[in-house]
Each structure stands twice: as C-alpha cells, then as structure tokens.
Amino acid sequence: MNQLSLKNINKTYGNGVKAIEGVNLEISNGMFGLLGPNGAGKSSLMKTIAGLQSPDSGSITLNGTDIVTDTDFIKQQLGFLPQDFGVYPKISAYDLLNHLATLKGVVNKAARKEQVLALLDKVNLYQHRNKEVYTFSGGMRQRFGIAQALLGNPQLIIVDEPTAGLDPEERNRFNNLLSEIGEDIIIILSTHLVEDVKNLCTNMAVMHQGKVIAQGKPSHFVDSLAGAVWKKTIDKKERAEYEQHFSIISTQLTEGKLSIHVYADKRPDSHFEVLTPTLEDYYFFIMNQQKLAA
Ligand code: ADP
C-alpha cells in the first residue's frame, strides 16, 4: 500500500497570491479526487507534489521518503499528466513514447519496446501507434498523456483537469481508463467537475482559496446531508424571495421553471419534498458555507 502524506504545506507566489495554505492530506491507493472551483489552488498543489515547484514550508513524503528534498525519487515514482501537456510534435506516437521512456530511465531497449507497445495497447492507441501525435483528437491526446504518465511503473499518478475539452464520449472512455489503472497505485484527479469525482473516486478533498475545507469519502459527505436537502419548483420571479428566507444550495432551470434545492433541518413547507442528497448537493452546500463565512 502506497502512502502520500502532506503536512502543513504553504506556497505564496512572487506576486503575493497565497495559493496553498496549511494543507494536510493523507492519500493511499485508489483514486483520490481533488475538487474545487477555478483558482482554488489545485494546480499549484499538484505541481508542488510533482516536484515542479517547492513549497515555502511543510513536508511531503511518499512511502516515508521526503520528496521535496529527494527530487530524483519523485521523478522515478511519479507520472504526471499536466493540464497543458502541450507538445505534439510531428513524430509518431510510438517514437514519442519511446523517447519519453528513455528520458524516464527505461534504458534496456527490448524492455522499453515491450513497455511502450503494452502501454499503447492499454490506452487503446495501438492501432494508431505509427500516426503522428499532432493529428490526434483531444481524447486520443489525453490517452497518450496517460500512457506517458504510466512509463516506468510509477506508484503515484497526477492528472490535472484531464477531461477539459473532451466530448462526452471521449470523457467517458478516458474516465474508464483511469478507473482501470487506479487500483494498485495512487491516482490524484484534480478537477472542478463534481460528477467525475462522484463516478471515479473513493476518497476526496475539497479546496477553496488555498485551503482544504473537507476531506473524506464521497459517500460519507453525501450521507452527512441525509434528510436535510429539500426540493421545490418555483416561478423564476420568486427566486429573490426564496433566497431571503431559505438556505438555497442550488437552483436549476427546467422547462422555464426553477427547481431549487434547500438545506433545512425539517421540511420548510408542505410543498417541499425531501431529496436523497448527491455529491453535487454537498459540494454546493460547503461552497455556500464558505461564502457565508467570508
Ligand atoms: P486551480 O488549479 O484550482 O484553478 P491554481 O493553483 O491554478 O488554481 O491557482 C491558485 C491561485 O494562484 C490563483 O489565484 C492563481 O491566479 C494563482 N497562481 C497560479 N499560478 C501562479 C503563478 N505561477 N504565479 C502567480 N500566481 C499564480
């Protein structure tokens, strides 16, 4: 079992932005979702774990080894699929992966060939292995990105907003691939899509303004709201009035009517029906709490 431990991580950029503030996280095998709105600090945290930037203070260990100081260790153990894996040269998928494998330290030629072909097969690009990667669709590029992240059998994989820009079918395929590989290693999925975390992750954390504001199992978070989420369909014009009187979690427009989700200990009025809460409800609920506390 792998264990990644972050203790009291802080990072302030040169422009004064406090991107990470007092972050503590314990992550073991399986898929871990890091959720938060844009600007919450997710990318900053992922880059810090990947060793692309150092924290100002705090410690990060993987299986007991300090990865902030031992940068060679993290390079060996880590596969990273950044948000902007922007290099798509005019060489074939096979050649590019082979080249990246060499950089990763897979020196034995025969072993490298075997690994490269096995990975192309795993991400369903085997039949496209001789095509130049710049001709690939968004989904194919992301799957290629996963193949390069898996080079050298890393124990930790970080994927940053991997499904941004993919169409629903490509996104589904990509997510299936992630969940297949996520059992025996740590995969951290950084995203603003609650649905991806709900479908894929066994553990998660929520970030807001540089801080981790919740950490645990998605099912546990959802259960914590049982019996406290209520739904009512109202007229669009009534919105302001309801916002004044109720703790609204979310609103959704359907067929010109507004469906509202409200947080309340007991049924607010006889027209409200109780809902089985979802992870979306939980996410909006704690985001609203942050706004109220601010
Ligand atoms: P997220 O990935 O959750 O969208 P980021 O980590 O990208 O969040 O950004 C967190 C905050 O840090 C934002 O306010 C962003 O503008 C700022 N930021 C990110 N990278 C840099 C940088 N290299 N220099 C200065 N500020 C940055």
Side-chain angles (χ1 to χ4, degrees):
M1 184 60 98
N2 296 292
Q3 188 70 24
L4 178 71
S5 304
L6 280 73
K7 297 214 165 69
N8 203 14
I9 302 297
N10 292 283
K11 176 78 186 176
T12 303
Y13 289 113
N15 60 358
V17 173
K18 266 190 187 173
I20 311 172
E21 243 189 294
V23 165
N24 293 290
L25 285 176
E26 290 294 329
I27 304 176
S28 46
N29 285 10
M31 282 198 65
F32 186 92
L34 185 66
L35 200 57
N38 286 331
K42 304 181 299 296
S43 279
S44 297
L45 191 62
M46 297 301 95
K47 281 191 249 169
T48 307
I49 297 171
L52 299 175
Q53 61 185 28
S54 310
D56 299 331
S57 59
S59 80
I60 309 176
T61 59
L62 177 62
N63 302 332
T65 301
D66 184 328
I67 61 176
V68 177
T69 49
D70 195 340
T71 47
D72 283 344
F73 177 77
I74 192 63
K75 272 185 209 143
Q76 284 303 318
Q77 299 294 321
L78 172 89
F80 189 35
L81 176 54
Q83 209 172 338
D84 46 4
F85 180 70
V87 197
Y88 303 103
K90 285 193 170 189
I91 63 171
S92 72
Y94 178 87
D95 287 345
L96 181 55
L97 204 55
N98 190 47
H99 172 68
L100 294 169
T102 312
L103 295 181
K104 190 92 188 194
V106 190
V107 283
N108 181 290
K109 210 173 166 184
R112 194 166 66 229
K113 184 174 181 182
E114 193 182 337
Q115 193 176 129
V116 165
L117 289 175
L119 283 175
L120 286 168
D121 184 49
K122 183 166 212 152
V123 301
N124 235 323
L125 288 175
Y126 187 85
Q127 73 273 35
H128 303 296
R129 66 190 179 284
N130 295 321
K131 278 194 195 143
E132 294 176 328
V133 283
Y134 84 97
T135 65
F136 281 5
S137 71
M140 289 163 82
R141 287 178 180 196
Q142 286 306 72
R143 283 185 279 128
F144 182 84
I146 281 294
Q148 67 77 31
L150 284 168
L151 285 168
N153 297 317
Q155 292 306 301
L156 167 63
I157 289 190
I158 294 175
V159 287
D160 196 359
E161 299 276 354
T163 58
L166 299 191
D167 66 39
E169 196 185 328
E170 286 178 326
R171 183 169 148 216
N172 203 9
R173 209 166 168 189
F174 184 82
N175 283 344
N176 284 336
L177 175 64
L178 276 189
S179 69
E180 248 173 57
I181 55 182
E183 278 170 18
D184 305 324
I185 58 174
I186 298 173
I187 298 191
I188 305 178
L189 169 69
S190 162
T191 181
H192 64 277
L193 299 173
V194 183
E195 206 189 333
D196 282 353
V197 172
K198 180 173 73 182
N199 293 340
L200 296 168
C201 299
T202 44
N203 283 283
M204 62 177 278
V206 182
M207 275 189 96
H208 180 258
Q209 292 182 353
K211 297 191 177 106
V212 169
I213 56 168
Q215 184 180 173
K217 294 196 174 303
S219 57
H220 178 84
F221 289 141
V222 169
D223 290 349
S224 72
L225 285 183
V229 182
W230 307 85
K231 180 185 158 177
K232 185 176 184 178
T233 305
I234 61 169
D235 201 89
K236 278 181 286 184
K237 287 186 262 158
E238 297 174 300
R239 183 186 189 136
E241 190 191 328
Y242 275 84
E243 272 172 352
Q244 251 182 11
H245 294 102
F246 299 104
S247 168
I248 294 183
I249 299 175
S250 64
T251 59
Q252 201 190 358
L253 207 54
T254 25
E255 294 172 358
K257 283 266 184 184
L258 207 56
S259 164
I260 59 171
H261 289 192
V262 161
Y263 174 78
D265 291 341
K266 52 185 200 303
R267 191 185 300 271
D269 74 39
S270 62
H271 298 287
F272 277 92
E273 58 170 305
V274 73
L275 282 180
T276 304
T278 64
L279 195 60
E280 276 87 356
D281 287 322
Y282 175 77
Y283 180 69
F284 290 130
F285 172 70
I286 56 161
M287 281 300 150
N288 282 340
Q289 280 193 323
Q290 295 299 314
K291 274 184 219 147
L292 292 175

